[in-house]
């Protein structure tokens, strides 16, 4: 069983969890108007300019460390112990370093998510490579689910999960070009809602095995479930039937009578809130109060899943159901129970729901339980007893393709090789041409792999080292010149690395869990982490997993495995090492 | 106007990465979305940026695009009437 040891929320509203809870309770927000170089106005909750300067550490790294320091101090753990692992949830990390005005001070690789994460974990003296979870807007829940499974399976005793996002012209202009931003304060679920506000924050939750707290009778927070499901519908638009979110809620097996509220995503865009109302209604939860915290914080992206979980815990502990700042009159098609003003509750369970680009959705459930309550839930294990045979492997580099270790003859190299493979092996999926090079690489690898693997609904868990670097650079070029400022919406969508998992899910109609993690370099040590995380997913079902990196259109590297349900970490790691290392 | 249509076809193929399509494949009176060229909502947003960048035409409401991007011919007519550069 996994419990919470401690937490912290570090936002423009306050630097401790309690200060943030009190700010929400008093209805405060730090949403203010700002303007982009193209004259577009937007509303966001940002830290003051004097706090935002980069120094030896970037502002992003300082925020992560400030939040984690407080949470770690409150937990009483030794963060330098090998029994502790770090998970960082973020979509874009230090992406502002791509802007030439910001980049001089640091090494070129500092913009990479894993580099920033390593700065943070090294600060605490932790010996393991940190795992960055970059799964669009659901990252904060995906990271907690990965942490929960790691603790349950004994991969670690304690998991420090940090969620953090800071904003620059990069993210703001991307959302603006998607016409997703509101120039007024957002109004989740309201009939007059007209888009989202962005927000900055860091938040940290420390999760551990309940063995650490046995013998105490104090109430504690228990993670009672975590599920991810893809819509398999569209890379940027939510499912019109709320399919993925509905499936997540169904799979959680929620006790309505014991549930105080569902803390929803509630971004205040027309489509998101409508989709969530459908999913909640379909799941039979229309009577359960729901609220969104976006009216207080804006959308804090990679931080949101962690921040909103922690504040929901505070609400339950204080017997409160938060009101939804900005909401006045229901503007969705299903009659869901949106909490307009703060009310009271004596219930001790809640659900956190999120959805994101790439078609991903996640839901987690939490319960505030007596310390001496008998254990009702069995912890998981890595399933070492039932090792499954029958893995399949594809590796793909600019000049070599192999399927199950047999080379596939081909003519082209680099970019041309991908086109050749598409034409010879598929040729019936025009969406391929719309994909960026990262998605094309992963897509081709998955197509080759699925031809030789047993038919099944695979979970998808992919890793790489440079996230969506090639698209990040291409998108940055569209906003570098302030006189010629035309951010590209199509490029911006692909600046999320998990879009490749969405493309594979859509192609194959996999309404399964999809996730994307960023590690340092794909060396043996990272293969261990990949094997561990893939095995945790394989406990739930068969998995497509592996490494998909892309530096530019002619430089890519994919190793993808089809892993049967129940395969153990050591077997997956061995196969990854066999395929990855010869190519370095 | 008749010069603009082939130019637009070429540009749209380029901007929207329609690598497997040639200008001759595009019927200037056929629908760009759904059953025609099969473009989607992200393509529509990309066309809005294209209109502003190349012709100085600002569409603040994406819904306006639905009428303007009906076909290449409708788009060309709109550009001729509204262009500021």
């Amino acid at each position: 069983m996994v419990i919470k040891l401690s937490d912290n929320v570090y936002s423009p509203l306050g630097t401790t969890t309690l200060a943030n809870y009190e700010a929400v309770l008093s209805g405060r927000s730090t949403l203010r108007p700002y303007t982009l170089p193209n004259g577009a106005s937007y509303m966001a909750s940002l830290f003051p300019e004097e706090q935002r300067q980069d120094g030896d550490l970037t502002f992003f790294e300082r925020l992560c460390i400030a939040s984690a320091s407080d949470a770690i101090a409150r937990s009483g753990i030794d963060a330098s112990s090998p029994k502790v692992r770090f998970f960082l949830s973020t979509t874009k990390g230090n992406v502002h370093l791509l802007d030439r005005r910001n980049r001089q001070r640091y090494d070129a690789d500092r913009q990479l998510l894993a580099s920033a994460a390593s700065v943070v974990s090294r600060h605490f003296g932790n010996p393991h490579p940190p795992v960055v979870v970059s799964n669009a807007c659901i990252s904060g829940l995906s990271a907690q689910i990965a942490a929960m499974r790691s603790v349950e399976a004994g991969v670690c005793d304690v998991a420090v999960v940090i969620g953090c996002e800071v904003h620059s012209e990069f993210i703001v202009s991307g959302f603006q070009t998607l016409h997703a931003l509101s120039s007024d304060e957002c109004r989740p679920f309201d009939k007059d809602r007209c888009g989202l506000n962005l927000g900055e924050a860091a938040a940290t939750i420390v999760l551990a095995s309940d063995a650490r707290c046995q013998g105490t009778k104090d109430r504690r927070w228990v993670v009672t479930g975590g599920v991810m499901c893809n819509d398999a519908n569209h890379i940027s638009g939510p499912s019109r039937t709320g399919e993925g979110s509905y499936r997540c809620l169904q799979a959680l097996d929620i006790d309505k009578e014991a549930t105080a509220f569902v803390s929803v995503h509630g971004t205040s865009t027309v489509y998101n809130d409508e989709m969530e109302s459908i999913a909640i209604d379909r799941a039979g939860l229309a009577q359960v109060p729901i609220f969104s915290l976006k009216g207080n914080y804006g959308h804090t992206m990679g931080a949101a899943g962690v921040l909103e979980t922690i504040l929901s815990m505070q609400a339950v502990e204080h017997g409160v159901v938060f009101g939804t700042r900005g909401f006045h009159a229901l503007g969705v098609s299903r009659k869901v129970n949106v909490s307009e003003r703060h009310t009271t509750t004596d219930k001790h369970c809640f659900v956190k729901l999120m959805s994101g680009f790439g078609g991903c959705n996640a839901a987690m459930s939490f319960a505030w339980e007596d310390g001496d309550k008998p254990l009702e839930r069995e912890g998981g294990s890595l399933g070492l007893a039932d090792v499954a045979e029958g893995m399949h492997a594809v590796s793909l580099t600019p000049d070599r393709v192999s399927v199950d270790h047999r080379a596939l003859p081909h003519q082209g190299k680099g970019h041309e090789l991908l086109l050749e493979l598409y034409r010879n092996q598929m040729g019936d999926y025009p969406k391929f041409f719309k994909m960026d090079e990262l998605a094309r690489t992963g897509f081709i690898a998955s197509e080759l792999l699925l031809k030789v693997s047993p038919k099944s609904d695979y979970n998808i868990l992919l890793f790489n080292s440079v996230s969506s670097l090639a698209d990040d650079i291409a998108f940055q070029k569209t906003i570098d010149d302030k006189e010629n400022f035309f951010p590209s919406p199509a490029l911006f969508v692909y600046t999320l690395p998990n879009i490749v998992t969405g493309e594979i899910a859509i192609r194959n109609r996999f309404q399964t869990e999809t996730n994307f993690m960023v590690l340092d370099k794909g060396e043996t040590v990272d293969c261990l982490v990949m094997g561990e995380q893939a095995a945790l997913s394989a406990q739930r079902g068969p998995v497509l997993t592996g490494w998909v990196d892309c530096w530019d259109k002619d430089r890519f590297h994919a190793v993808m495995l089809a892993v049967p349900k129940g395969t153990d970490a050591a077997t997956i790691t061995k196969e990854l090492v066999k395929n990855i290392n010869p190519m370095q | 106007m008749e010069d603009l249509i082939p130019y637009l076809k070429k540009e749209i193929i380029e901007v929207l990465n329609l690598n497997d399509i040639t200008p001759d494949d595009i019927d200037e009176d056929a629908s760009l979305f759904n059953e025609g060229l099969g473009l989607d909502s992200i393509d529509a947003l990309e066309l809005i940026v294209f209109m502003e960048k190349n012709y100085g035409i600002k569409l603040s409401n994406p819904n306006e695009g639905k009428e303007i991007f009906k076909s290449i011919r409708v788009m060309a007519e709109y550009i001729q009437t509204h262009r500021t550069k």
Side-chain angles (χ1 to χ4, degrees):
Chain A
M1 196 158 72
V2 176
I3 59 164
K4 182 192 80 167
L5 290 184
S6 66
D7 58 35
N8 166 271
V9 175
Y10 197 107
S11 82
L13 280 172
T15 59
T16 63
T17 298
L18 193 60
N20 276 277
Y21 167 72
E22 285 168 353
V24 174
L25 202 64
S26 59
R28 286 171 53 210
S29 109
T30 39
L31 291 166
R32 306 278 181 271
Y34 297 89
T35 310
L36 274 170
N38 62 0
S41 62
Y42 64 100
M43 191 74 78
S45 170
L46 308 179
F47 285 95
E49 200 52 42
E50 61 272 18
Q51 290 181 31
R52 308 172 54 82
Q53 304 308 313
D54 289 341
D56 291 340
L57 299 176
T58 66
F59 173 51
F60 173 82
E61 293 154 1
R62 283 206 315 276
L63 269 186
C64 290
I65 290 170
S67 174
S69 294
D70 182 54
I72 288 168
R74 289 171 194 271
S75 72
I77 62 162
D78 171 8
S80 68
S81 160
K83 293 179 176 175
V84 176
R85 300 278 185 127
F86 276 71
F87 294 82
L88 174 61
S89 159
T90 185
T91 64
K92 299 311 303 172
N94 277 330
V95 75
H96 69 292
L97 297 181
L98 283 178
D99 186 330
R100 57 176 170 249
R101 293 168 300 179
N102 302 326
R103 70 174 69 130
Q104 295 90 348
R105 195 194 293 255
Y106 306 99
D107 293 341
D109 71 352
R110 194 67 165 259
Q111 72 214 14
L112 301 179
L113 299 180
S115 296
S118 295
V119 167
V120 175
S121 64
R122 272 203 306 270
H123 174 88
F124 295 101
N126 189 264
H128 298 289
V131 174
V132 180
V133 177
S134 193
N135 205 21
C137 298
I138 75 164
S139 298
L141 293 190
S142 300
Q144 288 189 73
I145 290 170
M148 171 186 79
R149 291 176 183 175
S150 299
V151 171
E152 274 178 350
V155 169
C156 56
D157 287 353
V158 179
V160 178
V161 184
I162 307 166
C164 188
E165 209 73 59
V166 298
H167 291 300
S168 57
E169 271 174 16
F170 189 102
I171 294 178
V172 178
S173 63
F175 276 98
Q176 191 265 326
T177 196
L178 294 178
H179 295 261
L181 297 183
S182 169
S183 54
D184 294 318
E185 292 191 4
C186 69
R187 311 186 68 169
F189 287 88
D190 193 85
K191 65 179 176 51
D192 294 327
R193 70 186 183 281
C194 55
L196 59 81
N197 303 146
L198 290 169
E200 293 181 326
T204 305
I205 188 163
V206 181
L207 300 176
S209 160
D210 72 312
R212 292 183 72 89
C213 292
Q214 270 174 6
T216 63
K217 292 189 175 179
D218 295 343
R219 275 191 173 276
R220 72 269 176 92
W221 276 103
V222 178
V223 187
T224 50
V227 184
M228 293 180 275
C229 293
N230 201 290
D231 292 329
N233 176 55
H234 193 269
I235 56 168
S236 65
S239 156
R240 295 292 171 102
T241 56
E243 198 59 36
S245 286
Y246 161 71
R247 283 169 176 255
C248 287
L249 293 170
Q250 281 291 90
L252 273 184
D253 194 20
I254 297 160
D255 176 358
K256 270 189 285 185
E257 299 310 313
T259 301
F261 51 75
V262 181
S263 171
V264 291
H265 196 27
T267 59
S268 182
T269 65
V270 170
Y271 293 119
N272 175 82
D273 296 0
E274 173 65 14
M275 177 281 287
E276 277 193 300
S277 81
I278 294 168
I280 287 164
D281 188 36
R282 284 181 70 193
L285 299 170
Q287 303 302 315
V288 177
I290 65 173
F291 64 77
S292 161
L293 290 164
K294 301 297 191 291
N296 302 91
Y297 290 94
H299 189 347
T300 57
M301 315 279 293
V306 184
L307 179 149
E308 293 170 13
T309 295
I310 295 168
L311 286 165
S312 298
M313 288 173 166
Q314 283 291 311
V316 167
E317 287 181 33
H318 289 87
V320 168
V321 178
F322 287 134
T324 302
R325 194 174 184 277
F327 170 80
H328 299 295
L330 193 67
V332 289
S333 66
R334 306 293 176 101
K335 284 195 175 162
V336 287
N337 182 10
V338 182
S339 169
E340 183 179 357
R341 295 189 183 82
H342 305 320
T343 54
T344 57
T345 182
D346 56 5
K347 296 177 179 176
H348 289 164
C349 301
F350 76 91
V351 174
K352 179 77 205 98
L353 180 65
M354 307 204 89
S355 59
F357 279 11
C360 52
N361 300 266
M364 291 186 78
S365 57
F366 300 86
W368 197 37
E369 292 184 351
D370 289 333
D372 55 359
K373 191 173 173 183
L375 301 184
E376 288 169 4
R377 285 171 293 275
E378 292 293 320
S381 77
L382 270 179
L384 292 171
D386 53 350
V387 174
E389 296 292 324
M391 254 194 284
H392 293 274
V394 162
S395 72
L396 177 59
T397 66
D399 50 15
R400 190 173 187 279
V401 198
S402 73
V403 178
D404 285 337
H405 304 287
R406 274 192 283 279
L408 203 66
H410 60 89
Q411 307 287 322
K413 284 191 171 190
H415 177 70
E416 291 302 321
L417 171 61
L418 294 181
L419 292 175
E420 179 187 329
L421 288 168
Y422 168 74
R423 293 201 171 101
N424 292 346
Q425 306 281 338
M426 288 143 256
D428 60 346
Y429 197 66
K431 273 187 192 167
F432 173 77
F433 292 106
K434 317 287 286 181
M435 296 178 196
D436 72 329
E437 299 297 331
L438 175 66
R440 286 183 184 193
T441 306
F443 181 82
I444 294 280
S446 73
E447 290 284 305
L448 295 173
L449 186 56
L450 289 168
K451 281 188 178 193
V452 296
S453 306
K455 286 216 178 315
S456 189
D457 286 344
Y458 287 88
N459 293 325
I460 306 171
L461 173 59
L462 299 178
F463 301 81
N464 79 2
S465 68
V466 297
S467 182
S468 50
L469 182 65
D471 293 287
D472 291 357
I473 292 169
F475 180 76
Q476 179 67 39
K477 282 184 184 156
T478 70
I479 59 171
D480 263 340
D481 180 356
K482 305 308 168 212
E483 302 301 313
N484 197 19
F485 190 88
F486 294 104
S488 158
L491 276 175
F492 182 67
V493 171
Y494 283 101
T495 65
L496 293 165
N498 68 307
I499 297 297
V500 56
T501 65
E503 297 281 18
I504 298 169
I506 292 167
R507 162 73 161 172
N508 298 288
R509 301 184 196 283
F510 291 160
Q511 290 176 323
T512 50
E513 67 172 44
T514 54
N515 198 0
F516 200 98
M517 297 180 179
V518 180
L519 301 170
D520 211 2
K521 290 197 181 67
E523 290 170 352
T524 310
V525 62
D526 294 313
C527 288
L528 286 171
V529 176
M530 289 157 69
E532 282 166 2
Q533 294 299 324
L536 294 173
S537 189
Q539 283 188 316
R540 279 116 193 124
V543 194
L544 291 188
T545 191
W547 190 261
V548 184
D549 241 338
C550 176
W551 293 266
D552 59 45
K553 73 182 177 63
D554 289 313
R555 289 191 301 152
F556 47 81
H557 181 181
V559 168
M560 202 179 286
L561 309 181
V563 176
K565 184 177 180 182
T567 308
D568 70 288
T571 308
I572 300 171
T573 301
K574 205 169 131 194
E575 191 62 33
L576 286 166
V577 170
K578 209 167 18 171
N579 282 279
I580 285 179
N581 282 349
M583 293 174 195
Q584 287 179 345
Chain B
M1 174 76 185
E2 290 308 313
D3 290 344
L4 191 54
I5 286 176
Y7 176 76
L8 276 181
K9 286 183 182 179
K10 216 168 113 268
E11 282 296 299
I12 285 174
I13 287 170
E14 174 78 23
V15 169
L16 302 183
N17 286 325
L18 306 174
N19 305 33
D20 54 343
I21 288 173
T22 66
D24 290 341
D25 295 335
I26 304 177
D27 174 354
E28 53 264 35
D29 293 309
S31 166
L32 289 176
F33 292 84
N34 305 322
E35 72 280 7
L37 267 187
L39 305 185
D40 73 2
S41 53
I42 303 173
D43 295 316
L45 295 172
E46 202 65 49
L47 288 178
I48 289 174
V49 175
F50 171 80
M51 297 281 274
E52 185 177 354
K53 189 173 177 179
N54 293 279
Y55 302 107
I57 298 171
K58 273 197 173 190
L59 303 176
S60 50
N61 180 358
N63 285 334
E64 292 173 59
K66 279 184 188 156
E67 287 303 309
I68 299 160
F69 305 140
K70 249 183 178 162
S71 67
I72 294 279
R73 188 181 299 281
V74 174
M75 201 174 154
E77 284 165 2
Y78 189 89
I79 290 170
Q80 280 220 310
T81 321
H82 294 88
R83 65 190 297 171
T84 60
K85 68 179 186 188

